[in-house]
Amino acid sequence: MASTSLAFPSLQPQFRSSRKSHKRSNRRFVSFPIHASVSEKSSVPVPPAAVEQHEPSKLPIRKIPGKYGLPFIGPVADRLDYFYNQGRDEYFKSRIQKYQSTVFRANIPPGPLITSNPRVIVLLDGKSFPVLFDVTKVEKKDLFTGTFMPSTDLTGGYRVLSYLDPSEPNHGKIKSLIFFLLKSRRDKVIPEFHSSYTELFETLESELAAKGKSNFGEANDQAAFNFLSRALYGTNPADTKLGNDGPGLVQKWVVFQLSPILVLGLPKFVEELTLHSFRLPPFLVKSDYQRLYDFFYESSGHVLDEAERLGISREEACHNLLFATCFNSFGGMKILFPNMLKQIGRAGVKLHTELAREIRTVVRSNGGKVTMAAMEQMPLMKSVVYESLRIEPPVSLQFGKAKRDFVIESHDAAFEIKEGEMIFGYQPFATKDPKIFDRAEEFVPDRFVGEEGERLLKHVLWSNGPETESPTVGNKQCAGKDLVVLFSRLLVVELFLLYDSFEIEVGTSALGSAVTVTSLKRASF
């Protein structure tokens, strides 16, 4: 859920010549020193990017098809289809077929009684979808979760960065603060990832030995929270009052924000009459949230000092740091990492062998060190990460409200959008657009290798912007775009430095895939 996850200013590869031994546990894991380097170039402040000017559309103007139905009845009927009768993907596919258009009108949950206006214009192709990134045309105020906004009681009474439009003064200040945080901790990211995910693999091996299988999600949640805390704040949660409770507290808090748009596996009528019709009361997680807040406040002194310099109170800054770390970054890792493991695991031994060979060869040729520069020499590994982000983007829903009248284009027609209309995009359809990608529904590991593959990166949109563009204080692109790519690459690298192959079982969860590891084959070459 990374549309505003933690920032990582311009990553620049750089070699280091010193060689340093790095001991792991007595479990005899393969040892490779880890080094990180990030450019000193600041990402703030940066003016908004110039908007590309397009010639008037030559496609025929078509009236946007679709109906919203009767008040209350139409939105509730659509909500039942969306969640239960059809499911989200079929809900959209059936309407594409019905209207013979990837642009149409529909209701998007939650609808009554949580939001008064569930009516949106749906965009389901890779050509029309990017208008949602153009802040000269669409407003992003209070639209992070869609047609409803969770109570600010869940964020200390503040509208945090994800809900701010770039036109609001606090947007630039808070995004600048997050850029500052990452710049100040840039050298810690790769070493702390190595440390935290070494612990994860030790946990997986121990559980496999004892039970014959291991829940990747549970181990990943703890590793992700530990990594973010250690890398960004220099604090090990286990050494504080928070202990190992962080992931559980975060997940409970996130459910209170997203319950109107989640299916948790309860009986349909229970979910409809509770989660999808009424907001869960924030006071039920107040004490849990306070524990998280205290942890971040005590761990982020130098960042809070910078916040005051920027004109942000320490309290507001801390609530934003908590949200960016726990909702955006931890939430993104919770969704993305199991999805990546699922795709790579299903691809089979041939891909595993190719990845292991590429990764180990490059690391050895770089003095046994894992650096950003070394990872740039791993085209297959990089492509696998991009393909994972393409086929199952961690943030699937995007919203924007039209600031003025304008025309959008699908592949087949043009459509007039009126000022004030809500626009919605379902990203997995846009990034699996068959008119842009061959074998669009398939996981193709080497899709982005070579010049032709690199040209397709502009259609990888997971970060609330094209992969070929960068976050600034003037746009809504994921502030942590570079960081997400970096730690996704690190997961693949760490995995195949240790193992030749692995096997998994896959189920579903409210936020994505549930992955169980059933076999890990230790590195043999």
Side-chain angles (χ1 to χ4, degrees), residues 479-496:
K481 171 178 173 283
D482 289 338
L483 179 61
V484 172
V485 172
L486 173 60
F487 60 53
S488 298
R489 291 177 177 181
L490 284 169
L491 178 68
V492 180
V493 168
E494 294 282 354
L495 177 63
F496 287 104

Side-chain angles (χ1 to χ4, degrees), residues 435-479:
K435 294 189 177 181
I436 294 175
F437 294 102
D438 292 332
R439 298 157 61 195
E441 297 287 339
E442 296 180 36
F443 179 79
V444 180
D446 62 352
R447 185 184 297 278
F448 299 102
V449 172
E451 290 185 11
E452 287 295 322
E454 289 179 2
R455 278 196 281 270
L456 288 172
L457 286 174
K458 67 181 180 181
H459 301 293
V460 177
L461 311 172
W462 67 272
S463 64
N464 202 8
E467 186 60 31
T468 49
E469 296 183 9
S470 298
T472 71
V473 295
N475 65 24
K476 289 298 290 183
Q477 188 165 22
C478 173

Side-chain angles (χ1 to χ4, degrees), residues 360-376:
R360 294 172 199 173
T361 298
V362 170
V363 170
R364 286 166 182 152
S365 69
N366 283 274
K369 303 169 186 175
V370 178
T371 64
M372 286 181 285
M375 288 188 286
E376 287 297 327

